[in-house]
Amino acid sequence: MTFEPRTMYEKIWDAHVVADMGGGESLLYIDRQLLYEVTSPQAFEGLRTAGRKVRRPDLNLAVADHNVPTTNRRGGLAAVEDEESRLQIATLERNAAEFAIPYIPLTSPRQGIVHVVGPELGLTFPGTTIVCGDSHTSTHGAFGALAFGIGTSEVEHVLTTQTLVQRRSKTMLVHVDGPLAAGVTAKDIILAIIGQIGTAGATGYVIEYAGDAIRELSMAGRMTICNMTIEAGARAGLIMPDEKTFAWLAETPFAPKGQELERATADWRMLASEAGARYDRTVTLDARRIEPMVTWGTSPEDVIPISGTVPDPAKEVDPERRARLQQKLDYMGLEGGSALAGLPIDVAFIGSCTNSRIEDLRAAAELARGRRIAAGVRALVVPGSGAVKAQGEAEGLDRIFMEAGFEWRDPGCSMCLGLNPDRLSPGQRCASTSNRNFEGRQGPGGRTHLMSPAMAAAAAIHGRLVNPGKLEA
Amino acid sequence: MTPFIRLEAIAAALPIANVDTDMLVPAKYLKTVSRSGLGRALLHGLRFDQQESEIPEFILNRDPWRASHILVTLENFGCGSSREHAPWALLDFGIRCVIAPSFADIFHANCLKNGILPVTLPRSEIDILLADSSHQNTACLIVDLVTQTILRVNGECISFKMDAASRDRLLNGLDDIDRSLGYKALIDEHEVAAMAAMPWRPFVSRARLDSLG
């Protein structure tokens, strides 16, 4: 019997197959499920209707984030003014209590965005499987965990069986070689990758990211990369765990301690893809050529360097593509062929599961220190969790931001999606560190430009889109 | 789940690529705690103006397409958010079958869980069906999952492929959870083995979570 060298994905997959169900389907064991208020109520209702139980409450964790207002958190549920939002959060609380699922209440100092809180607590481990009814579950792949978003019916399936019916994905290796240029961040790398392969470029694949540029990133940067993997259509993103990963995990409250940690770390070292392992597709990027990136359109693949110009419909020969391009430009209020640098903005949003960790806030604060935001601009800083907020305050970032005119808010998904009071008004243009620039994503009629925290902070200060590396004092 | 066997119905053309689930169901409709009643939310920004009045030119606001049960559309349909509200809204509106050159991964899985048939066809055949479903006289299609064919008004047949397991589940309206619960003994076994292999895996009790402060 010969053993083919395996990729990290294949190792994790093999270790979690409970049964071959035939027809290419496998029953896959799920080590952790994260729950929040929007995509779980119907799953719990399904359990009640069928008279089913939660198999492993201790492998689930619930926290509200999408609907949560980012002010007056201490007021708890009573301070949620929107009646439907309050009911949805109350339903999560009630379901967690009824099914004995660990729950982080609104008033807890640990509350925050589920994909920020999970890793922070030490519930995201290499070699494990993690799911959540949210597409940005891919974030957790930064630790070498196989993590992916699922629908509500699948949430119910996991609650009941702690498994999912899955087909094995194809594998894609995305190699980002060479050092990054100064001022280029993880966000720019992932936007460049999506720009290159397209928003459906990785459909059916699990991506493994490798190369010097990925290895050099902090855990926060790696989470940014894996977070937006879903924007390329992939099932999941993975990064090989290394010393940075182990050091990060050792600091978390739920991490194993002492000998148990040594044993775990030894196991995690075994996860790396083996030499000679085959990938179905390989994509290579030269990190040295990646510039600070920004989106111009209504899909994350509509992305160019900040020094670039918006595509011109007049130069598009295919009539269908020309019409679609024109629609996007009309929605965004842009002229074909125009430069993005210099474009005036109304709002800057620094936050979301993509870019709300302490490293992101430090990068933005670096730009904001001693400066003022431009007149007429509203700028929000929304830490990803209570822990990030506390850390930011301990470092004095809150003062830097507030002195510069930024709002320093309570944790939550905030303006990433129009589900809580933080929304764009029709026609408003936003420099945003979030992950989706779909029409109406940040509020009906809102115009989103995706970018790094540094570029968003620079945009707030200048009142227009600008290369953060070229910001003058 | 309602089985999907054969559907004779009006098809509506939605010739837009990368229709995302935010477009299928805007965020403000996600505050519901129920699966039903999302029909009005479906493609809300395309169907209604800011005063909540119907936009008369939009295909789903015109006869006979108000009564569409089939949608013909373009690449990467259902990309973005994992919200199952998207297939729930399609169902509540009456759509039981979506035909496209490609689908986003999570949306495709969500369709299968809700008895919606996602049919994948090459772009050349999609273009034929888009033309059919744009005209009143040709908009009626017969989608047959038993024979895996789509019958056009002119009598021509287009064949499609689907994996056997998903097809069987749709044809019989089977619930995945019941099937998976049948593997309980193997799940138990796996859990014991995983506990030994990954003793460092954290379990979370409410008490331990509370003790963190």
Side-chain angles (χ1 to χ4, degrees):
Chain A
M1 194 168 163
T2 56
F3 291 96
E4 288 273 317
R6 291 184 299 168
T7 63
M8 181 164 41
Y9 168 66
E10 287 158 345
K11 290 182 188 180
I12 302 174
W13 174 272
D14 291 347
H16 287 82
V17 172
V18 171
D20 180 347
M21 302 174 99
E25 291 182 331
S26 298
L27 196 62
L28 201 68
Y29 193 79
I30 302 302
D31 295 316
R32 174 88 50 210
Q33 175 159 252
L34 303 168
L35 299 155
Y36 67 102
E37 76 277 21
V38 180
T39 59
S40 67
Q42 297 86 350
F44 284 110
E45 195 51 44
L47 290 190
R48 267 191 290 269
T49 307
R52 289 175 178 140
K53 292 189 168 57
V54 175
R55 181 183 167 97
R56 292 293 301 268
D58 59 339
L59 296 181
N60 288 269
L61 176 75
V63 61
D65 55 9
H66 282 57
N67 273 270
V68 174
T70 55
T71 50
N72 191 15
R73 185 58 39 79
R74 292 210 179 110
L77 194 56
V80 180
E81 283 175 17
D82 183 274
E83 203 175 319
E84 284 181 301
S85 292
R86 197 171 58 244
L87 174 66
Q88 212 173 42
I89 299 167
T91 303
L92 181 67
E93 284 189 1
R94 186 171 58 93
N95 285 330
E98 182 180 335
F99 292 96
I101 286 171
Y103 173 69
I104 301 174
L106 286 189
T107 49
S108 164
R110 297 214 166 254
Q111 183 273 339
I113 305 173
V114 65
H115 306 309
V116 177
V117 171
E120 221 168 59
L121 283 174
L123 299 177
T124 297
F125 282 150
T128 60
T129 50
I130 301 173
V131 296
C132 174
D134 184 84
S135 60
H136 291 110
T137 308
S138 57
T139 310
H140 306 263
F143 293 83
L146 177 60
F148 51 92
I150 56 177
T152 298
S153 295
E154 292 182 310
V155 171
E156 186 179 340
H157 193 285
V158 176
L159 286 170
T160 315
T161 68
Q162 205 57 39
T163 65
L164 272 178
V165 180
Q166 290 285 296
R167 287 171 181 280
R168 197 159 156 146
S169 300
K170 290 180 283 186
T171 51
M172 184 188 294
L173 181 66
V174 174
H175 220 274
V176 190
D177 286 318
L180 284 176
V184 177
T185 69
K187 186 65 163 281
D188 304 304
I189 298 177
I190 188 62
L191 285 172
I193 292 168
I194 296 164
Q196 180 166 329
I197 69 176
T199 187
T203 302
Y205 289 87
V206 165
I207 296 179
E208 181 177 337
Y209 297 97
D212 314 338
I214 303 294
R215 263 198 307 280
E216 288 302 313
L217 292 175
S218 67
M219 289 313 297
R222 294 178 189 183
M223 283 189 260
T224 300
I225 299 268
C226 287
N227 172 276
M228 286 193 72
T229 297
I230 184 65
E231 261 54 71
R235 173 115 285 228
L238 282 170
I239 293 174
M240 182 183 82
D242 60 10
E243 297 311 317
K244 269 185 208 169
T245 322
F246 309 145
W248 204 96
L249 287 170
E251 297 295 314
T252 59
F254 276 99
K257 308 281 179 241
Q259 277 196 327
E260 216 186 12
L261 180 62
E262 283 171 34
R263 157 82 195 268
T265 309
D267 289 349
W268 297 337
R269 286 184 207 283
M270 306 289 286
L271 280 169
S273 294
E274 290 157 17
R278 279 202 307 252
Y279 295 85
D280 295 298
R281 191 180 161 196
T282 299
V283 172
T284 305
L285 275 85
D286 183 352
R288 282 162 291 219
R289 300 182 67 159
I290 300 175
E291 295 177 55
M293 303 293 282
V294 55
T295 63
W296 55 266
T298 54
S299 163
E301 71 182 10
D302 301 336
V303 66
I304 54 173
I306 182 66
S307 59
T309 54
V310 172
D312 189 351
K315 291 181 182 159
E316 178 59 64
V317 284
D318 179 71
E320 188 184 304
R321 282 216 292 264
R322 186 163 61 234
R324 183 71 193 128
L325 178 53
Q326 190 59 54
Q327 264 174 355
K328 285 172 184 255
L329 294 178
D330 290 347
Y331 181 84
M332 292 300 292
L334 293 172
E335 293 286 328
S338 63
L340 277 184
L343 193 66
I345 61 149
D346 304 294
V347 178
F349 169 56
I350 296 164
S352 87
C353 59
T354 312
N355 279 127
S356 64
R357 296 177 182 83
I358 191 67
E359 292 87 342
D360 299 315
L361 304 195
R362 284 178 193 145
E366 203 52 49
L367 271 289
R369 188 190 302 272
R371 294 189 171 100
R372 279 293 301 177
I373 61 171
V377 168
R378 183 182 178 206
L380 297 82
V381 181
V382 186
S385 70
V388 171
K389 187 172 189 195
Q391 177 68 26
E393 288 172 357
E395 295 179 17
L397 304 186
D398 56 328
R399 286 197 311 278
I400 294 173
F401 282 122
M402 287 190 286
E403 281 166 18
F406 289 79
E407 299 171 26
W408 177 253
R409 301 178 71 90
D410 287 327
C413 296
S414 186
M415 204 181 265
C416 177
L417 81 174
L419 203 50
N420 58 71
D422 304 341
R423 271 196 286 261
L424 295 180
S425 306
Q428 278 192 322
R429 189 177 301 284
C430 181
S432 181
T433 67
S434 56
N435 40 58
R436 288 190 177 131
N437 51 347
F438 298 156
E439 286 187 19
R441 169 81 180 183
Q442 294 190 290
R447 293 163 171 166
T448 304
H449 296 276
L450 303 175
M451 63 190 74
S452 69
M455 198 192 286
I461 288 154
H462 267 229
R464 53 193 170 80
L465 299 183
V466 59
N467 185 339
K470 297 192 175 151
L471 190 66
E472 286 159 24
Chain B
M1 192 171 91
T2 315
F4 188 108
I5 299 165
R6 182 179 179 278
L7 177 66
E8 178 170 358
I10 300 292
L14 188 69
I16 306 175
N18 299 314
V19 171
D20 57 71
T21 51
D22 275 80
M23 199 187 289
L24 285 168
V25 179
K28 68 172 182 168
Y29 296 100
L30 302 186
K31 294 182 183 181
T32 176
V33 293
S34 158
R35 277 181 159 90
S36 58
L38 281 161
R40 191 172 168 89
L42 180 72
L43 292 165
H44 194 274
L46 296 177
R47 284 165 63 207
F48 301 98
D49 64 19
Q50 283 179 7
Q51 284 70 47
E52 288 291 315
S53 304
E54 281 191 359
I55 298 169
E57 305 81 47
F58 186 63
I59 190 162
L60 294 179
N61 291 334
R62 284 152 54 199
D63 287 321
W65 292 283
R66 280 180 187 283
S68 296
H69 295 304
I70 301 168
L71 209 56
V72 184
T73 184
L74 292 179
E75 291 81 4
N76 198 27
F77 189 78
C79 62
S81 157
S82 63
R83 57 189 70 164
E84 199 164 314
H85 306 70
W88 295 337
L90 285 165
L91 268 189
D92 200 53
F93 181 88
I95 303 290
R96 290 292 315 277
C97 173
V98 183
I99 307 173
S102 59
F103 292 88
D105 192 29
I106 304 175
F107 176 82
H108 189 268
N110 284 342
C111 281
L112 295 174
K113 303 277 181 194
N114 286 280
I116 296 177
L117 172 65
V119 175
T120 307
L121 287 176
R123 179 62 196 260
S124 55
E125 291 177 328
I126 291 293
D127 286 338
I128 294 170
L129 295 178
L130 278 174
D132 279 0
S133 51
S134 302
H135 297 98
Q136 197 164 325
N137 297 337
T138 52
C140 188
L141 300 175
I142 301 174
V143 181
D144 192 326
L145 185 55
V146 178
T147 57
Q148 294 182 221
T149 55
I150 298 169
L151 185 64
R152 301 171 58 206
V153 166
N154 70 0
E156 278 180 22
C157 229
I158 293 174
S159 297
F160 62 90
K161 290 199 178 81
M162 177 161 227
D163 75 85
S166 302
R167 176 170 171 266
D168 183 54
R169 219 133 61 226
L170 279 173
L171 283 172
N172 295 294
L174 294 179
D175 176 354
D176 255 357
I177 295 179
D178 278 336
R179 174 166 165 247
S180 297
L181 283 172
Y183 289 85
K184 185 178 177 302
L186 284 175
I187 300 172
D188 292 345
E189 214 173 275
H190 181 93
E191 224 161 44
V192 172
M195 198 91 81
M198 298 187 285
W200 39 264
R201 209 171 33 145
F203 307 106
V204 185
S205 66
R206 284 181 78 107
R208 187 157 171 218
L209 193 60
D210 290 344
S211 74
L212 295 177

